[in-house]
Amino acid sequence: MLATLLLSLYGMFWMNAKSNDTLLNFKINNSRDVINLFPKTGRHIESQVNQSIKSARKHLAAIIELADDQRTFANTAKALDNVQAMSDLAVINQVLKVMSLVNTDKNLSKVVDTNLIKIQDFYVDNIENNKELYRAFKAYAHHGPDDEALTKEQQYFLDEMMLKFKNNGLDLSQKDAQEVVQLKKEIAALALTYSSNIAAATTTIHVDRSGLQGLEDDFIHSLKRTDDGQYILGVDYPTVYNVMDNCSVESTRKQLHLAFSNRAYPTNEPVLKNLIAKRDALGKKLGYASYADYDLSNQMAKTVQTVEDFMHDLLAKTTDKWKLEFRRWFADLPDGVQLTSDGMLEPWNVAYVKNHYKKKHFNIDEELLAQYFPMDHTIKGLLDIYEKFFSIKFKEVSSNGLWHEDVRLIETYDHEGRMLGYIVLDLYPRAGKYTHACCEHIIVGTTSNKESTPGFAIVVANFPKATESKPSLLTFNDASTFFHEFGHTLHALFARPHMSTYGGLNVKIDFAEMPSQMLEEWLWDKDILKGITRHYKTGEPLSDETIDNLIASKTFDSGSFLQNRLLFYAYISLELFKEGAQKDVHQMYKELCHTHKKMVAYEPQDHMYTSFGHLTEYGAKYYGYGWSKVFALDLFAQIKKHGLLNPEIGKKYVHDILSKGGGQDPMELLENFLGRKPNQEAFLQDLGLNK
C-alpha cells in the first residue's frame, strides 16, 4: 500500500513538473532529486518520454518559426543546443541508457529499450534530419546579425553543427535524406539489440572441485553449485580474470575462455552483419567511401589513412619488444602448459603464462597483491588523492531509493564549496547487469552568467564482492580500472562549457579516453601506492620492495598488450566498418588473429566479435584508446614535474582541458596546457622502448 502511494506521488511530482512546459523542469538540487530521476515503473517511463518529446517538439518548432531577420545566436543556436543536451528529453535519454546497463528486471528492460528507440527515432526525425531546422540554423550561421561578436566556443559550435548537418545528409535530395533517416533508425535499433544481447548473456560452465585447482578457497566457497554438486563459473569479469590468471587446470580455463568469448554467440552474429551492412549503406549514401570514413570525419584523426598510419607506426615500433616478451615466456612455461605443434600459446593460456612469469621474475602475485586493495580503503584513497590534486571535496550520502542496495551516491564540491555534481557508484556484478566497466553522464554541468548547473555521472563496474571471510578485494588491474572510470566522472563534472552540447563526456571519441587514462598513471607512483594500500587484516601498506617490483613489472608485457589487445581490437573495429556491406565477419576475425596475434593460436570456436560492446558506440574508433594514450602520458609527464598532489597544476589542468569539455579543438587544449605540440616521447618510454 505504501509503495503504491509513493509511486503515485512520484508520478504526480513529474506530471506537476511538466505543467510549466519549460525546457528543463527537473534539476538536481539535492540527493533526493538524483534518486527521483530514475522512474520506477514502465508507466512512468512512458509518461516521461511522451511529455519530454512533446516539450522538445514545441521548442524546436519555435526555432524553425522565427523570421530569419529576427535570428540571434541565443534564439537559434543556443536554443538548439539546449534541446540537444539540457532538455528533459536529453536527461531522460541518459537516464534510460543507464537503466539499460544496471536494471535487472526483464519486463522493465523491455520498456526501457522500447523507449530508448522511440527517443532515438525522435532525434533522427526532428533534429539530425530535420531539413526545416537545418534551413533555420543555416540561415543564422550564414547570415546572422553582424553586430553579434561570437566567442570562440560559439563559432566552434556553429562550424561543428554545420558539418554534423552535412553528415546527416541534409544537403541531399528529399528521397535520399529520407533513406538516411530510415538507415539511422535501423542502425540505432540494431546497436541497442547488440548491446542488450551482451548484457542479457547468462552463460555458465560447471566443473567439479578438481577443476578449480590454483584458486583460493574463499573464491571457491563463494561459487554457487548445481544440484549434483558441481561449481558454477559465470562469465562476469571478476570470475573470468581470476580463473584465467590463477586456475592451474587448462580444461577449466579453456571452457571458460570459450564461454566468455561466445557469450552473445550466435545471437549477435546476424545482428552485427546487419549493422555492418546498414552502416556501410549510410556512409555511402552520405558521400563517403565507407562507414569508417564517415565515422572518422569529425574526429581528431579525421581520416582512415591517418588512423592506419598511426597503428602501423606503433606496430613497427613495438614488434621487437613483443617478440622478446614471448621468447621469455616460452622459455619459462608453468607446469602443465605446452606450446602447440607450431610453437604457439593457446589463447586460454596467455594470461596464466603471463601471471606465472610475473610471480616468478617480479615476485608479484596478483592474489596476494589484491589483499592490499580492499574496496572501501581503495575508494577512500582514490577520493583523498583527487581531493588534494583537484581541490575538491566528496561527501557520501544515502542512496536509499536507487536501484540496488550496493549502489553508493557521492556529492562533489569545488574548492569554494559550490556543488559540482553527483557521482553514483555501482561496482558489483548482478545477473543481467552490464558485464564490463563504463562511465555515463546523466546530466551535463554547464556554466552561464546566471548560474552553474551541477552535473551527474555514474560508474558501472563488476568488481569482486565480499565473502564471509574477506572484504571486497581489488586486483591491481581492478584498481586501475576504478581510477580510469572515476577519471571519466571527474571529466564529466569539471566540464563547464557554455554550450551544453559540449558538457559531460560529449567530446571527440578519440580524445575521450585521455583524461581517464592519464589518471590511471597515479597508481604507478611509489608514494601514491604507499599511501593508498592497506592490507585488509594487518593494515600495513605495500612494502617498498613489492612496490619497486610492481613498478618494474609495468613494461614486462607492454609490447604484447599493445599488439595483441589494444591494436588488435582497433583493427577489428576499423576493418569491420571499412568499405563493403557484406562481410564474412568470422573469416575477417580469423585473418586478423593470424596477422596480429602471431604467437597466439587461432581458435575457430572463438567469436569475441559478437560481444565486443565498443562496436556500437565507438564504431570504427577503437583506435582512440591508443591515440589518446599518447596524449595522456605526455600530459602526465608534465604534471609529474610539478607533483602529483600539487593543486596548482591540478587547477591548470582543469582550466586548460577539463573545463572546456568538447567546446574546443582537442589539439588546441593540449598545446595550451603543454606549451608545445604533444609528442610520443613519454608514451614510448612508458612502453619501455625509449629508456
Side-chain angles (χ1 to χ4, degrees), residues 528-642:
I528 296 294
L529 281 170
K530 202 75 174 175
I532 69 169
T533 54
R534 290 289 183 274
H535 193 278
Y536 79 99
K537 285 184 177 179
T538 68
E540 292 294 316
L542 279 173
S543 68
D544 289 341
E545 180 183 4
T546 301
I547 292 176
D548 290 341
N549 289 340
L550 180 62
I551 293 172
S553 75
K554 187 180 185 186
T555 62
F556 96 101
D557 68 340
S558 59
S560 64
F561 176 79
L562 190 78
Q563 294 224 4
N564 290 178
R565 184 174 176 85
L566 206 62
L567 289 176
F568 176 67
Y569 285 1
Y571 275 107
I572 294 174
S573 165
L574 190 64
E575 292 297 326
L576 286 177
F577 298 115
K578 285 169 68 175
E579 187 172 8
Q582 305 301 320
K583 291 188 173 76
D584 184 336
V585 291
H586 190 69
Q587 179 63 27
M588 180 175 288
Y589 177 67
K590 176 182 178 179
E591 291 171 1
L592 288 171
C593 286
H594 286 310
T595 304
H596 297 294
K597 301 182 85 169
K598 293 180 180 177
M599 298 292 190
V600 180
Y602 167 69
E603 170 49 59
Q605 297 182 70
D606 188 330
H607 303 87
M608 66 75 59
Y609 50 85
T610 61
S611 55
F612 187 8
H614 286 82
L615 290 178
T616 53
E617 184 174 356
Y618 273 54
K621 302 184 290 294
Y622 194 88
Y623 75 91
Y625 278 95
W627 178 275
S628 57
K629 186 78 168 179
V630 172
F631 305 133
L633 289 165
D634 201 0
L635 263 65
F636 177 75
Q638 182 81 353
I639 287 172
K640 193 167 185 178
K641 294 176 183 176
H642 297 267

Side-chain angles (χ1 to χ4, degrees), residues 326-454:
F326 273 91
R327 284 199 299 270
R328 287 173 175 169
W329 301 337
F330 287 3
D332 193 14
L333 292 172
D335 292 340
V337 174
Q338 294 182 336
L339 300 181
T340 63
S341 58
D342 49 357
M344 296 187 185
L345 270 180
E346 297 285 10
W348 48 83
N349 289 335
V350 175
Y352 186 67
V353 167
K354 287 166 66 171
N355 195 34
H356 166 79
Y357 186 90
K358 186 186 288 189
K359 287 180 184 179
K360 183 173 181 178
H361 294 274
F362 296 98
N363 197 26
I364 297 295
D365 185 325
E366 293 289 353
E367 289 181 312
L368 295 178
L369 197 62
Q371 296 178 14
Y372 290 85
F373 289 96
M375 171 69 79
D376 289 342
H377 183 81
T378 302
I379 290 178
K380 183 180 184 305
L382 168 82
L383 300 186
D384 287 347
I385 288 169
Y386 291 157
E387 282 187 337
K388 292 172 184 175
F389 181 70
F390 289 110
S391 301
I392 55 180
K393 290 292 181 184
F394 297 109
K395 177 185 176 184
E396 185 160 354
V397 295
S398 172
S399 62
N400 186 34
L402 288 174
W403 51 88
H404 196 274
E405 61 184 9
D406 289 339
V407 172
R408 301 171 69 170
L409 178 60
I410 299 172
E411 294 177 342
T412 311
Y413 299 88
D414 70 12
H415 64 284
E416 295 182 357
R418 294 173 300 197
M419 171 66 73
L420 271 175
Y422 289 85
I423 298 170
V424 165
L425 305 178
D426 187 346
L427 303 179
Y428 302 110
R430 295 188 300 277
K433 176 188 166 185
Y434 181 66
T435 56
H436 198 30
C438 68
C439 172
E440 288 281 353
H441 74 251
I442 298 173
I443 293 181
V444 299
T446 58
T447 298
S448 66
N449 294 329
K450 296 181 180 180
E451 62 178 338
S452 180
T453 305

Side-chain angles (χ1 to χ4, degrees), residues 45-219:
I45 290 173
E46 291 170 351
S47 173
Q48 289 175 27
V49 169
N50 290 338
Q51 290 288 342
S52 299
I53 285 176
K54 180 180 178 181
S55 175
R57 195 186 303 277
K58 177 179 178 180
H59 287 277
L60 290 170
I63 297 172
I64 293 168
E65 291 166 5
L66 273 170
D68 288 347
D69 61 359
Q70 299 296 311
R71 295 193 181 281
T72 65
F73 188 88
N75 65 28
T76 301
K78 184 64 177 126
L80 175 57
D81 170 60
N82 289 338
V83 174
Q84 287 187 146
M86 283 295 289
S87 64
D88 284 341
L89 185 61
V91 173
I92 190 60
N93 182 55
Q94 291 301 117
V95 166
L96 294 184
K97 282 178 68 176
V98 168
M99 289 182 69
S100 73
L101 298 174
V102 302
N103 171 65
T104 57
D105 181 326
K106 290 184 179 180
N107 291 328
L108 194 61
S109 292
K110 291 179 182 177
V111 180
V112 168
D113 289 350
T114 298
N115 280 274
L116 274 172
I117 292 173
K118 185 175 184 177
I119 294 171
Q120 289 165 351
D121 287 352
F122 177 84
Y123 273 115
V124 170
D125 285 335
N126 294 276
I127 298 180
E128 294 179 8
N129 291 85
N130 187 332
K131 278 187 172 284
E132 285 301 304
L133 182 64
Y134 176 45
R135 184 208 62 77
F137 191 89
K138 184 164 61 172
Y140 173 76
H142 289 174
H143 310 290
D146 294 333
D147 59 349
E148 280 199 298
L150 300 183
T151 67
K152 190 172 184 178
E153 184 185 346
Q154 289 171 335
Q155 187 60 53
Y156 187 73
F157 178 78
L158 290 182
D159 295 341
E160 290 278 295
M161 282 302 302
M162 288 300 290
L163 174 61
K164 188 174 180 180
F165 278 125
K166 175 182 177 296
N167 277 351
N168 285 334
L170 293 183
D171 286 331
L172 299 175
S173 68
Q174 186 67 33
K175 176 179 178 295
D176 287 341
Q178 282 302 115
E179 289 181 13
V180 167
V181 170
Q182 185 59 33
L183 282 169
K184 285 193 168 187
K185 290 180 180 180
E186 292 172 358
I187 287 168
L190 287 166
L192 184 60
T193 299
Y194 181 90
S195 298
S196 297
N197 287 341
I198 298 171
T202 57
T203 311
T204 60
I205 68 167
H206 302 160
V207 298
D208 58 27
R209 182 63 178 80
S210 64
L212 300 174
Q213 293 177 40
L215 298 171
E216 289 191 327
D217 288 341
D218 281 338
F219 171 76

